[in-house]
Amino acid sequence: MRKSAYAKEFLQFKQAFDRCYRRRRFREIQIPGMRKGLVSVVLPVYNGERYLEEAIRSVIGQRYTDWELLVVDDGSEDRSPEIAEKYAQKDQRIRVLAMEHKKLPAALNAGFAQAKGEYYTWTSADNRMEPDCLEQQVRFLRRHPKADMTYGNMRLLDVNGQILRGKGWYEIPPLSGNVRLPKTTEELNTYANNTIGAAFLYRARIAALAGGYQEQWFTMEDYDYFMRINSIGTICHIPEKKPVYLYRMHKD
């Protein structure tokens, strides 16, 4: 398969980076307090009472059960804190962190500052993980020690939780609502198109190198973060083609 000019440009950068920094040595990084096998899921929420319970239940319903859920309440003025606390009282794997409203990047940083896992991810209060979402991605990272981050396909939902069809965002088959993302991130840093989406998992060791989410990049904090990881590490798509995540699109 021929590579695009964007991909070639990025691969030239990666080759130069490897010559300077020897990325293989990054795998030797040790994270103090990390618990092997644990997945730290951060769930930031701001006035998300409408869908929050669905998001929390989707984490509780994961087939991979070695996780901690850090719900970060970003100064909500609705019932979001009450909903989160209700689940925290039932499940010791769930913790609620409260903060003043500082927007999404700051909430993510607050959550990951408390994370103890070997693997990190975050999910939105209006989205849902499919039951095998964490299982598929943990399995891949365990089988591929050189991979620093992985991602999977998604299905789009509308405001009422019905399949949203016809958006055209890597929609395969057409009108299925399924977002089948590219298998490579070779163009992520050189062509303005987020090829990773919302179903991802990365190692704590690469997070230590990448640093935190940039608060000045609100609404683009994820893309900026993915590009940083892509620059210094290796990102791979899981083999599974079916969606592992339900991504809701609505006016809010």
Side-chain angles (χ1 to χ4, degrees), residues 28-124:
E28 301 172 4
I29 292 175
Q30 301 294 318
I31 308 299
M34 183 194 82
R35 205 183 92 195
K36 192 171 179 60
L38 180 68
V39 175
S40 295
V41 182
V42 173
L43 198 170
V45 58
Y46 175 65
N47 292 343
E49 64 180 5
R50 180 172 183 179
Y51 304 114
L52 180 57
E53 288 202 63
E54 290 183 45
I56 294 175
R57 287 174 180 171
S58 78
V59 178
I60 294 173
Q62 289 299 296
R63 293 174 189 161
Y64 187 86
T65 58
D66 192 8
W67 50 261
E68 62 173 354
L69 176 60
L70 301 156
V71 182
V72 183
D73 175 50
D74 186 28
S76 295
E77 298 172 344
D78 64 359
R79 294 180 53 253
S80 294
E82 177 185 337
I83 293 169
E85 287 291 353
K86 178 181 71 173
Y87 284 93
Q89 291 175 9
K90 296 179 180 178
D91 194 322
Q92 62 181 5
R93 296 172 296 179
I94 302 174
R95 286 183 282 157
V96 181
L97 310 175
M99 59 183 287
E100 296 178 1
H101 182 49
K102 295 183 178 180
K103 298 185 178 179
L104 179 58
L108 290 172
N109 289 334
F112 286 117
Q114 301 295 319
K116 301 296 183 184
E118 178 182 4
Y119 309 107
Y120 289 175
T121 190
W122 61 271
T123 186
S124 297

Side-chain angles (χ1 to χ4, degrees), residues 84-235:
E85 287 291 353
K86 178 181 71 173
Y87 284 93
Q89 291 175 9
K90 296 179 180 178
D91 194 322
Q92 62 181 5
R93 296 172 296 179
I94 302 174
R95 286 183 282 157
V96 181
L97 310 175
M99 59 183 287
E100 296 178 1
H101 182 49
K102 295 183 178 180
K103 298 185 178 179
L104 179 58
L108 290 172
N109 289 334
F112 286 117
Q114 301 295 319
K116 301 296 183 184
E118 178 182 4
Y119 309 107
Y120 289 175
T121 190
W122 61 271
T123 186
S124 297
D126 52 356
N127 295 338
R128 303 200 306 266
M129 294 179 180
E130 291 283 39
D132 62 342
C133 183
L134 296 183
E135 180 182 64
Q136 291 275 358
Q137 297 185 88
V138 169
R139 180 187 301 133
F140 184 90
L141 290 179
R142 285 177 170 171
R143 291 178 176 176
H144 300 84
K146 293 182 180 180
D148 299 293
M149 179 176 177
T150 187
Y151 63 106
N153 296 327
M154 308 180 296
R155 176 173 293 133
L156 300 183
L157 302 180
D158 65 15
V159 65
N160 296 314
Q162 301 301 308
I163 296 176
L164 183 62
R165 307 176 192 275
K167 293 298 289 186
W169 180 29
Y170 298 116
E171 191 172 14
I172 302 174
L175 301 180
S176 66
N178 293 345
V179 180
R180 189 175 294 180
L181 295 158
K183 294 182 179 180
T184 173
T185 56
E186 290 175 346
E187 293 187 355
L188 180 72
N189 293 52
T190 50
Y191 180 73
N193 192 12
N194 186 346
T195 57
I196 291 180
F200 52 84
L201 189 72
Y202 53 96
R203 300 182 192 273
R205 73 185 187 208
I206 200 70
L209 288 169
Y213 289 82
Q214 297 298 309
E215 296 185 21
Q216 69 270 28
W217 289 113
F218 175 54
T219 74
M220 294 188 293
E221 62 284 315
D222 53 349
Y223 198 170
D224 168 71
Y225 197 77
F226 298 159
M227 286 194 295
R228 278 186 276 149
I229 291 182
N230 204 36
S231 295
I232 62 177
T234 300
I235 304 179

